[in-house]
Amino acid sequence: MADGRWGEAVESWRSLEGKEAVGVGEECRKCNEAVCLLYTGRLEEARAVLEGLVDEGKVAAGGVFNLATVYELCSDASRGLKMGLAERVAGLGVEMVGASFKM
């Protein structure tokens, strides 16, 4: 990632799936994978990865912020998508500030 080799980084992050011994949690791995997908222009894949984390109840400020960014890049209706995301996160009992949702 640091070298800007985003496509290779996607594959590297994916290769760590299920390998807890490497010291990287699954949420962190998926967030990094999604960022790399974003930088390779694979927005729908990045969106699916990040939305999957929310579906699993795994929400952190960084992942939510990244998903809000993907919404801005994917749709003219990003405000509605971000509002829906805020409602989903609140429904999980997680409190976050508006900045996490880029509002």
Side-chain angles (χ1 to χ4, degrees):
M1 288 175 71
D3 294 331
R5 295 172 19 210
W6 304 108
E8 291 175 41
V10 168
E11 298 312 316
S12 292
W13 285 115
R14 285 183 175 167
S15 74
L16 296 176
E17 185 173 4
K19 297 180 181 175
E20 295 177 28
V22 297
V24 175
E26 192 67 5
E27 183 178 349
C28 178
R29 184 196 66 76
K30 286 183 177 181
C31 282
N32 284 322
E33 175 188 338
V35 168
C36 294
L37 289 165
L38 173 70
Y39 277 100
T40 60
R42 295 156 62 184
L43 298 176
E44 290 301 321
E45 285 181 73
R47 179 178 176 172
V49 169
L50 294 168
E51 286 180 337
L53 285 171
V54 176
D55 292 342
E56 295 170 13
K58 298 176 182 172
V59 293
V64 168
F65 185 87
N66 289 337
L67 183 52
T69 300
V70 169
Y71 284 161
E72 289 176 350
L73 296 171
C74 285
S75 173
D76 291 334
S78 66
R79 181 155 176 77
L81 291 169
K82 291 188 286 186
M83 291 296 290
L85 176 59
E87 290 172 6
R88 287 174 64 194
V89 169
L92 294 170
V94 178
E95 292 185 30
M96 289 189 183
V97 297
S100 296
F101 302 96
K102 299 181 77 175
M103 291 196 252

